[in-house]
Amino acid sequence: MCSVAAASVALSAAASDAKAWTFTNFDPPNAVATWPASINHGAIAGSYQVSSGVYHGFVRAANGTVTSFDPTGSAGTHATGINKAGTIAGYYQDSGGVNHGFVMA
């Protein structure tokens, strides 16, 4: 019981010292859900879903420009990482339900 109370006090103290964060909301055009997965030097890579249920990859540049992409043969794209050079890695599912990895440079 004491450890729970002590943890509660510690969490309250940490919350009062928390940094004031700035949140920037964004969604690619026609997105009904957005999943940012990786950020590097201000560029964000991830995936979003449209109303038909299809997933697409996206990259959001540091200036806020969002570019959508899908590898050839993709029925659903998931970008999972971006490096300093802007190379994006992820996976996509083809129309037969088979997953494939991709690197986009």
Side-chain angles (χ1 to χ4, degrees):
M1 202 78 133
C2 287
S3 61
V4 172
S8 177
V9 170
L11 288 175
S12 295
S16 66
D17 296 333
K19 176 182 176 182
W21 296 96
T22 299
F23 289 87
T24 302
N25 296 323
F26 71 91
D27 290 296
N30 303 313
V32 296
T34 303
W35 294 272
S38 182
I39 186 169
N40 200 322
H41 285 73
I44 301 168
S47 304
Y48 70 97
Q49 186 179 28
V50 295
S51 61
S52 66
V54 175
Y55 293 87
H56 302 281
F58 75 85
V59 61
R60 180 183 185 270
N63 69 6
T65 302
V66 177
T67 303
S68 179
F69 63 87
D70 291 291
T72 302
S74 174
T77 303
H78 302 275
T80 58
I82 186 168
N83 69 12
K84 184 177 178 179
T87 302
I88 298 171
Y91 66 96
Y92 69 94
Q93 190 172 67
D94 65 26
S95 60
V98 178
N99 287 328
H100 306 275
F102 73 84
V103 174
M104 185 177 86

